[in-house]
Amino acid sequence: MLAEIKALADIISAEKGLDKLEILVENPKAKSYLHAITIDIEYKEKEFRLTGVSLEQLSDEKRLAYLYRPGAPNGADLSPTAKITEVDKTFGNKIIGWFRYVERNKNSLGLKEEDWAFLDGLKNLLVTNEENLLVEVKKKQELLPARENAIITLKINQKYIGEYELFRNILLKLEGLKDAAISAPDKTCSICQQEKELVSGNVNVFKFYTNDKPGFIAGGFDEKFAWRNFPVCLDCKLALEMGRGFIESNLKFTFVQDLEYLLIPKFLFGTSYISKEIIDIFTEGPKKVSLARKTVTRMTADENEILGLLQEEKDALSVQFLFLRASRGAERILLLIEDVYPSTLRRIFDAKIDTDARWEIIERQFNFATLRTFFAKSDENKREYDLDKYYLQLVDHIFKLKPVDKGFVLQFIMKKIRHDFNNELDSYHWVVLDGLLTFTFLLSLKLIEVHSEEVKTMTESKFEEFFAGLSPMLSTPAARGVFLLGVLTELLANKQYTERGSKPFLKQLKGLRLTEKDIRGLLPKVQNKLTEYDSFDKGKRQLAEEISTYLLQAGESWDLSIDEINFYFAAGMNLANKLAGILYEKEEKEKEVV
């Protein structure tokens, strides 16, 4: 994965002509740091003079001019530019602290005498005027709008520190020295596989790797051997940082509302086999590339999703999906899906399109949020999503086209359906429809199988076209009989609600835990109750006849689990109005012929 990130960074660097410094320097205009407080200094004839303190708006164009590069949390940064937390501490630890940090590394920086004289004079000016400077900086800080912060930096002769070669060189050298304690000379880099002058074991591009815990350090709990665990040269380290930053900014997408992923491309034969449009997306970012020319089908919650475009490519590239979760300054890998090719994406999108077409009648479409309906919380009262493991396991199987256990999926689908049904929630109807979409999608992708057989009825079914469109889900007599019984039961419940404002018959459904025996006994109960309400008309009698035919043909000991029986039954209940429309439409046409 890291090799792919480095390769992407190399492509971007070549496209944009970036150097090391442009990769290292960070844009402080993030997390509400929207302003810069500058200490203005005049330098003339080797003398320094303080001319004032100014406040200005940060701009992206001045990123290199500010030369911001963070260092240790409680120590100096790598240049005399820092984000202000508490003015006194920031000035002492980050600004004055930077000069002291440079002095401690005097022997390693290789600066000229005139450079040291310049830095000494600058530091002395700041120390001498510290009290007055703190007052002025605080005054400027008070002018900031609420919840907006500022950085502090130096301007010498109206030039920012990033415009001075001295400060630029020092930053590069300090970056190289930062990891000296866990570095080794003349070793092979694990990323580029080349022998380099210096490799370091302190690469924190992702925060799931650390050197301060046993087990992460080769050779025991001794930091000087950490380089052996993950040796990376400075060039590759910078490339990884750049690649991670670019991916975070441009290739980070929302999968479902509470889960994000990083999309990492791998160009198998270079970029010459990839369309210019896709290269532009990977080098410029999807938000910078107009997608208005196309209507792009989406599988996730992100309007900038590019998977629909990637599926059109040849298998000259693959992508990796990295799901991360940040917690207390660390990162945890939730799931890494490697080597997903465009041909695999095409199969997934084809299954989605097929699913949506089959269920056009319900005017609802499948995406990965549909799956999340059933794999979010084990208990609706819980605050946290605790079924991420199972949800991501299912996502992993989908992208790897690995079979899924039908009983496993139906267990979670029916748990949610039963919860909403028994609590009489309005969401019950939509949950059942999401269950149908999920089940159909997995069937279309051939990740689950259902028992299928030729269905023969004594008379032609009024719903043959409907059943044929859902094959193989409702391809057995038992499945069809249970489904249509759900339809008839809902028609009864609707009649009860019209007559008395309630649906007491639903108590007969045992909280949607009906067995095969219960189903057989339920049909006469529904028929009798419809007769009591004087609602057992010709259409419902024909429906009851079809149910009887299917249940008789099914015989004993159906090859359906309790969850599957109740899933088909609930599906029939929720599609009762649609099926009734088909039933009575045919009846009206028959009357017209007569």
Side-chain angles (χ1 to χ4, degrees):
M1 178 184 72
L2 293 177
E4 273 78 64
I5 293 175
K6 195 260 183 183
L8 176 63
D10 289 342
I11 293 170
I12 296 168
S13 295
E15 289 275 334
K16 299 184 178 182
L18 302 179
D19 60 21
K20 290 181 183 179
L21 198 66
E22 289 174 302
I23 297 171
L24 275 173
V25 171
E26 295 186 10
N27 189 351
K29 191 179 177 182
K31 297 182 179 179
S32 300
Y33 284 87
L34 305 177
H35 309 273
I37 297 175
T38 65
I39 299 174
D40 301 325
I41 300 166
E42 183 184 88
Y43 178 63
K44 190 175 182 181
E45 296 178 356
K46 299 185 179 181
E47 294 291 332
F48 290 93
R49 185 174 68 88
L50 189 65
T51 59
V53 174
S54 304
L55 177 65
E56 63 182 49
Q57 289 283 115
L58 277 180
S59 68
D60 296 329
E61 291 75 18
K62 292 180 180 178
R63 182 178 69 90
L64 281 174
Y66 295 128
L67 207 67
Y68 174 70
R69 173 72 176 179
N74 296 318
D77 292 332
L78 302 192
S79 76
T81 294
K83 292 179 178 178
I84 298 175
T85 51
E86 298 176 38
V87 173
D88 300 60
K89 288 184 178 179
T90 301
F91 188 82
N93 294 339
K94 299 291 186 180
I95 303 301
I96 302 300
W98 178 83
F99 290 92
R100 292 170 180 157
Y101 180 44
V102 169
E103 288 173 358
R104 287 198 300 271
N105 291 281
K106 186 172 185 177
N107 295 332
S108 302
L109 295 177
L111 300 181
K112 300 175 182 178
E113 286 300 322
E114 56 266 32
D115 292 333
W116 285 115
F118 179 86
L119 294 175
D120 284 339
L122 192 54
K123 183 190 74 170
N124 292 336
L125 177 74
L126 296 174
V127 171
T128 302
N129 293 276
E130 181 173 359
E131 186 175 341
N132 179 52
L133 283 171
L134 292 177
V135 172
E136 293 301 316
V137 170
K138 289 176 183 178
K139 286 181 181 179
K140 298 299 182 186
Q141 193 178 38
E142 290 172 359
L143 300 176
L144 300 180
R147 297 176 184 168
E148 291 188 12
N149 302 308
I151 64 169
I152 185 170
T153 188
L154 309 179
K155 282 179 76 172
I156 306 166
N157 291 343
Q158 299 182 345
K159 292 170 64 177
Y160 296 93
I161 59 173
E163 298 178 87
Y164 285 86
E165 193 68 27
L166 173 62
F167 293 103
R168 294 160 69 101
N169 288 337
I170 291 175
L171 188 149
L172 289 171
K173 291 178 180 178
L174 288 178
E175 177 65 28
L177 292 173
K178 193 168 64 174
D179 305 324
I182 48 175
S183 300
D186 303 322
K187 302 297 180 183
T188 300
C189 171
S190 61
I191 301 295
C192 65
Q193 300 298 314
Q194 296 179 16
E195 185 175 306
K196 293 297 183 76
E197 292 183 9
L198 195 73
V199 297
S200 170
N202 188 31
V203 178
N204 294 315
V205 178
F206 290 98
K207 295 178 183 177
F208 48 76
Y209 171 77
T210 179
N211 287 312
D212 61 0
K213 290 181 175 60
F216 280 90
I217 298 179
F221 197 57
D222 191 339
E223 192 178 52
K224 67 175 178 287
F225 295 121
W227 66 269
R228 297 180 180 176
N229 209 49
F230 186 28
V232 178
C233 67
L234 180 60
D235 289 338
C236 286
K237 179 181 178 180
L238 295 180
L240 288 174
E241 287 190 19
M242 177 193 174
R244 169 71 194 264
F246 180 85
I247 291 169
E248 280 283 348
S249 299
N250 299 283
L251 298 176
K252 184 177 184 177
F253 302 99
T254 300
F255 197 76
V256 290
Q257 188 174 10
D258 55 302
L259 283 173
E260 296 179 322
Y261 68 96
L262 304 180
L263 190 67
I264 304 168
K266 180 179 182 180
F267 302 108
L268 304 179
F269 310 107
T271 58
S272 56
Y273 295 89
I274 314 298
S275 69
K276 180 67 165 60
E277 183 178 41
I278 298 301
I279 294 299
D280 287 344
I281 287 173
F282 282 129
T283 56
E284 297 294 332
K287 296 175 185 177
K288 298 179 183 178
V289 179
S290 174
L291 302 181
R293 301 186 306 276
K294 290 188 175 183
T295 300
V296 182
T297 304
R298 296 204 307 266
M299 287 288 293
T300 68
D302 201 315
E303 63 181 14
N304 293 308
E305 176 199 313
I306 62 172
L307 301 180
L309 294 174
L310 292 179
Q311 65 155 332
E312 300 173 3
E313 293 296 307
K314 298 177 181 178
D315 284 352
L317 68 86
S318 66
V319 291
Q320 300 181 67
F321 294 80
L322 177 60
F323 293 83
L324 288 175
R325 178 154 290 163
S327 177
R328 298 179 182 179
E331 290 176 317
R332 181 164 60 93
I333 297 178
L334 300 179
L335 176 66
L336 173 62
I337 307 175
E338 299 183 279
D339 296 327
V340 179
Y341 293 91
S343 57
T344 302
L345 292 175
R346 278 196 296 277
R347 286 187 59 180
I348 293 170
F349 275 95
D350 287 345
K352 171 196 162 45
I353 293 168
D354 177 62
T355 298
D356 294 343
R358 288 172 183 265
W359 286 110
E360 188 176 6
I361 191 173
I362 66 175
E363 299 176 352
R364 195 169 176 85
Q365 296 189 338
F366 175 85
N367 57 46
F368 281 108
T370 310
L371 294 177
R372 189 60 160 169
T373 304
F374 311 104
F375 296 88
K377 299 178 182 179
S378 59
D379 187 328
E380 296 295 327
N381 295 319
K382 288 190 174 182
R383 295 180 61 185
E384 303 294 330
Y385 293 98
D386 61 341
L387 294 182
D388 287 347
K389 174 183 176 182
Y390 298 112
Y391 177 71
L392 291 172
Q393 177 182 329
L394 185 55
V395 169
D396 183 61
H397 278 241
I398 289 170
F399 280 106
K400 292 178 179 176
L401 302 178
K402 292 170 59 177
V404 175
D405 183 77
K406 179 180 67 176
F408 170 79
V409 175
L410 279 175
Q411 173 190 345
F412 285 92
I413 290 177
M414 280 311 303
K415 183 176 181 179
K416 176 64 175 171
I417 290 175
R418 288 185 183 113
H419 173 273
D420 288 15
F421 174 79
N422 293 325
N423 288 280
E424 300 180 5
L425 300 180
D426 292 338
S427 57
Y428 162 66
H429 172 70
W430 303 110
V431 166
V432 174
L433 298 185
D434 280 347
L436 286 168
L437 288 170
T438 295
F439 204 66
T440 305
F441 173 76
L442 295 175
L443 279 171
S444 182
L445 208 50
K446 294 182 171 54
L447 301 189
I448 59 173
E449 294 182 357
V450 293
H451 183 65
S452 179
E453 63 183 67
E454 183 182 358
V455 180
K456 297 178 181 179
T457 56
M458 286 180 261
T459 58
E460 183 182 351
S461 171
K462 292 180 179 293
F463 309 108
E464 194 60 45
E465 185 178 342
F466 173 81
F467 287 136
L470 296 180
S471 178
M473 181 164 55
L474 296 174
S475 295
T476 65
R480 291 187 178 185
V482 170
F483 177 84
L484 292 179
L485 182 54
V487 173
L488 190 62
T489 302
E490 182 65 16
L491 295 178
L492 167 61
N494 290 341
K495 180 63 177 177
Q496 283 189 325
Y497 189 79
T498 301
E499 293 285 328
R500 53 195 294 179
S502 63
K503 301 178 179 181
F505 191 81
L506 297 186
K507 294 179 181 178
Q508 301 280 339
L509 305 185
K510 297 184 176 180
L512 294 182
R513 295 186 183 277
L514 299 165
T515 63
E516 178 182 334
K517 181 179 178 182
D518 294 327
I519 291 292
R520 294 183 186 281
L522 189 63
L523 177 58
K525 292 180 182 178
V526 175
Q527 291 175 292
N528 291 338
K529 191 60 68 173
L530 284 169
T531 302
E532 288 179 21
Y533 282 93
D534 195 24
S535 186
F536 200 32
D537 54 39
K538 180 182 177 182
K540 295 185 183 70
R541 287 198 302 274
Q542 290 178 334
L543 181 57
E545 288 173 7
E546 284 212 21
I547 295 168
S548 297
T549 300
Y550 284 131
L551 295 184
L552 285 171
Q553 188 178 348
E556 303 287 340
S557 302
W558 304 339
D559 187 23
L560 298 176
S561 67
I562 298 294
D563 284 335
E564 198 167 357
I565 288 172
N566 288 273
F567 175 61
Y568 294 146
F569 186 85
M573 289 182 67
N574 277 267
L575 293 172
N577 291 336
K578 302 289 186 184
L579 272 291
I582 296 173
L583 179 68
Y584 289 106
E585 181 185 18
K586 288 182 178 290
E587 189 175 308
E588 289 299 321
K589 287 181 179 178
E590 289 170 3
K591 287 181 181 179
E592 291 174 9
V593 172
V594 174

